[in-house]
Amino acid sequence: MKINVVNNAGTKVSELTLNEKIWGIEPHKQAQFDSLLSYNATKRQGTHAVKSRAEVAGGGRKPWKQKGTGNARQGSIRSPQWKGGGIVFGPNTDRNYLIGLPKKVRRLAIKSALAAKFQNKNIVVIDELNFEKPSTKIMLETLKVLELANNKTLIVSGISNKETVIKSGRNLPRTTTIAANSINIYDLLNAKKVLFTTEAIKIVEEALI
């Protein structure tokens, strides 16, 4: 299983052999769904909360005496039925939204997403993305040459120059730039095309085998 490797000019310079245990599998849709659900759950802050009657300020004194007024019995103006009173069964910070998922399932989801992209010819491999300094202009020119500028593109860089690559692509519309060791199911499924460097391909394969 091979894929062409191109340079910044879009010219083929070599071929790269891919691991069939990753790129050649049949995509597992359920694993991808479960992994995406788990990933989105980790993004929930869980900081929303309301105050119960024990936490609302005031209400220490009984509003009126128990009998003789003609009104219903009331013990506190901070009871739930009062305006400004405590909330019953409201959300609090004790709730945990995390969805546990076995490591094998998470890996299978990543493999499935990569395999689906490869089988649909949405993977592009470039020999390197070397910039002397962060440059959005150069990154955009490279994407135009590779015919990726008009697509939702995920750029996966190696570790050696990740900061320069990420800074070069972070201001481009419809473009997401991450390091190979940060690859995740959300970015893979959200992108139409994925641009890998050869270094990134090796890092991802080593992590998934």
Side-chain angles (χ1 to χ4, degrees):
M1 183 175 291
K2 296 181 180 297
I3 190 171
N4 294 335
V5 179
V6 299
N7 57 18
N8 291 341
T11 305
K12 177 182 175 181
V13 292
S14 63
E15 284 188 341
L16 183 65
T17 302
L18 299 177
N19 192 316
E20 293 188 10
K21 294 181 179 179
I22 298 175
W23 309 90
I25 68 171
E26 181 179 352
H28 197 291
K29 293 184 179 180
Q30 188 63 47
Q32 295 179 72
F33 175 81
D34 291 342
S35 184
L36 182 61
L37 203 65
S38 176
Y39 179 88
N40 286 334
T42 64
K43 297 301 180 182
R44 300 189 67 172
Q45 291 183 335
T47 55
H48 50 300
V50 296
K51 292 183 178 181
S52 68
R53 62 178 296 170
E55 298 168 318
V56 177
R61 180 174 62 86
K62 190 174 176 66
W64 49 75
K65 64 181 183 178
Q66 184 81 348
K67 297 179 181 293
T69 65
N71 295 322
R73 295 171 292 184
Q74 301 292 334
S76 170
I77 62 172
R78 293 310 179 216
S79 295
Q81 70 270 22
W82 283 70
K83 179 181 179 180
I87 303 298
V88 181
F89 304 130
N92 56 67
T93 55
D94 293 335
R95 181 162 182 178
N96 184 358
Y97 289 99
L98 298 181
I99 300 175
L101 205 63
K103 183 183 292 185
K104 287 184 178 179
V105 178
R106 294 199 303 270
R107 287 185 176 181
L108 177 59
I110 298 292
K111 291 179 183 179
S112 298
L114 291 173
K117 287 285 189 290
F118 176 75
Q119 293 162 17
N120 292 325
K121 299 182 179 179
N122 289 325
I123 298 288
V124 179
V125 180
I126 192 170
D127 55 353
E128 57 183 2
L129 287 171
N130 283 336
F131 305 115
E132 294 182 0
K133 59 181 182 179
S135 174
T136 303
K137 179 180 179 180
I138 296 177
M139 179 65 81
L140 179 58
E141 290 174 353
T142 301
L143 294 178
K144 286 182 177 179
V145 169
L146 300 177
E147 299 181 353
L148 299 176
N150 295 324
N151 292 289
K152 292 184 72 173
T153 303
L154 173 63
I155 303 173
V156 186
S157 72
I159 304 298
S160 57
N161 63 335
K162 65 177 182 179
E163 291 186 5
T164 305
V165 174
I166 290 174
K167 288 180 180 180
S168 298
R170 65 186 177 184
N171 288 329
L172 293 176
R174 301 183 301 278
T175 301
T176 303
T177 310
I178 61 174
N181 58 353
S182 299
I183 197 166
N184 60 81
I185 188 67
Y186 176 84
D187 287 332
L188 284 174
L189 294 180
N190 189 48
K192 172 65 176 177
K193 301 281 187 177
V194 184
L195 175 63
F196 281 95
T197 63
T198 53
E199 180 188 357
I201 289 282
K202 294 176 181 178
I203 293 172
V204 169
E205 288 188 344
E206 289 175 1
L208 294 177
I209 293 301

